[in-house]
Amino acid sequence: MYDQAEALRQLVKQNTEPQNQKKTKFISVTSGKGGVGKSNFSLNFSLALQRLGMNVLVIDADIGMANIDVLMGMSSRYSLYHLVKNEKTIWDIISVGPEGLHYIAGGSGLLELIRLSDEEINRFGAEILKLQGQYDFIIFDTGAGLSKETTQFITASDETIVVTTPEPTSITDAYALIKMVNSVDSSVKFKIVVNRSGDRAEGERTATNIASATKRFLNIELPSIGYIYDDSHVSKSVKKQVPLLMLFPDCDAANSIKQIAKEYLNLPIESTSTGIKGFLHRLLKRTR
Ligand SMILES: Nc1ncnc2c1ncn2[C@@H]1O[C@H](COP(=O)(O)OP(=O)(O)OP(=O)(O)O)[C@@H](O)[C@H]1O
Ligand SMILES: [Mg+2]
């Protein structure tokens, strides 16, 4: 752990040239209904972005469950829990996963009842500031539903990707989540991804239906970033605890995620980031 933390510190030293600093884009990945594929999407989308040359940090923002660790067959010693409890610094808790992917693990199941105080959120923010210039993308894989923490991560992010499946229950829960977040903060920018789609038509139809509802009833634009095939390789990769993109790099679901990542990087400028400072500004605004 010490060596890893030291290596990361060195990395920062080399990269803190103010002029050519990266402007980190913060993305929250969330859903109304649980179990729709947020963690698998967060992990594999991150790997896909990294393969396209981006520097990515994935944060398992589900303090109660260690989703990302489990999907990679890893077991991190430290998690977000140790950071907010002031026991470890950001450098201590960043782990390096397969393909060199940087990530911060979620807590263990025992910590399910822990809720973050404002002071702990501030502590998280102060530590995140140290990542200035390090990453192109910081991606939060949130727990399902709207806890106080999830709402804070969402409203502080530059963009929120809502994951749904084509099932009506998943769609109505996604709609309810968007409505609820919008009532807390109407400036949140949402995108939708349809996971477990039978074919292209179903993926596109699902995205269009939900977007027309958010437009009509909430006046919210909901651009789609694409759809991911329902594919039994996903479950196989979860059981093997090897990320889909590594175990079955050319299966239908992997190809859809790679395509989404490629197109995502071509999105217009207006959807780019406000950087670490913008993220912190919004995060701290919420905890006042
Ligand atoms: N594209 C897909 N095709 C087939 N099965 C999938 C697909 N995506 C996800 N799954 C299945 O759904 C399960 C749940 O996925 P995942 O853990 O990513 O969901 P989640 O939304 O993060 O869940 P939670 O709300 O509990 O955090 C996977 O273990 C896998 O079996
Ligand atoms: Mg999950």
Side-chain angles (χ1 to χ4, degrees), residues 45-265:
F45 182 57
S46 298
L47 282 172
L49 288 172
Q50 184 162 284
R51 287 181 186 180
L52 292 169
M54 299 292 113
N55 284 326
V56 186
L57 171 69
V58 196
I59 300 182
D60 191 339
D62 192 339
I63 308 272
M65 308 275 189
N67 286 277
I68 297 288
D69 246 353
V70 172
L71 291 179
M72 296 193 296
M74 310 253 314
S75 161
S76 304
R77 241 168 101 194
Y78 303 118
S79 72
L80 206 48
Y81 174 82
H82 298 94
L83 179 90
V84 297
K85 291 293 171 192
N86 215 351
E87 290 171 17
K88 293 286 159 197
T89 69
I90 192 93
W91 311 118
D92 299 321
I93 65 160
I94 294 178
S95 302
V96 179
E99 298 192 4
L101 182 70
H102 286 194
Y103 75 100
I104 294 177
S108 83
L110 290 176
L111 304 172
E112 253 163 64
L113 298 177
I114 301 275
R115 295 276 74 121
L116 300 188
S117 67
D118 288 353
E119 190 188 319
E120 287 161 351
I121 287 276
N122 282 335
R123 155 103 184 138
F124 169 77
E127 288 292 303
I128 283 279
L129 183 60
K130 298 180 185 167
L131 300 180
Q132 188 95 270
Q134 287 305 291
Y135 298 103
D136 298 288
F137 294 98
I138 295 183
I139 299 182
F140 294 101
D141 172 27
T142 71
L146 265 192
S147 66
K148 179 184 152 224
E149 294 78 37
T150 298
T151 311
Q152 277 171 320
F153 289 131
I154 289 176
T155 53
S157 293
D158 292 297
E159 184 166 287
T160 295
I161 298 179
V162 179
V163 183
T164 186
T165 72
E167 292 181 352
T169 42
S170 170
I171 295 172
T172 50
D173 288 2
Y175 176 84
L177 174 118
I178 292 168
K179 185 176 176 181
M180 213 132 63
V181 170
N182 185 63
S183 73
V184 175
D185 184 344
S186 60
S187 67
V188 172
K189 291 193 189 72
F190 296 99
K191 293 230 158 63
I192 188 99
V193 63
V194 179
N195 189 27
R196 309 201 66 166
S197 187
D199 54 28
R200 171 195 282 267
E202 188 178 47
E204 288 176 354
R205 196 169 56 240
T206 304
T208 307
N209 285 347
I210 180 162
S212 52
T214 60
K215 179 71 192 160
R216 181 160 170 215
F217 299 113
L218 306 172
N219 198 26
I220 294 174
E221 301 290 340
L222 188 62
S224 168
I225 59 165
Y227 65 93
I228 301 161
Y229 279 107
D230 188 39
D231 184 340
S232 59
H233 291 98
V234 178
S235 167
K236 285 182 192 143
S237 78
V238 172
K239 287 178 191 153
K240 277 247 176 199
Q241 295 188 270
V242 177
L244 181 76
L245 256 65
M246 297 176 70
L247 194 60
F248 302 110
D250 288 312
C251 71
D252 287 343
N255 282 335
S256 347
I257 294 171
K258 288 188 284 184
Q259 183 66 22
I260 289 171
K262 217 195 274 170
E263 288 174 10
Y264 192 80
L265 293 182

Side-chain angles (χ1 to χ4, degrees), residues 1-10 13 77-78 88-89 91-94:
M1 264 303 155
Y2 175 78
D3 283 345
Q4 187 184 312
E6 189 51 39
L8 283 162
R9 271 185 218 108
Q10 291 304 326
K13 273 197 190 143
R77 241 168 101 194
Y78 303 118
K88 293 286 159 197
T89 69
W91 311 118
D92 299 321
I93 65 160
I94 294 178

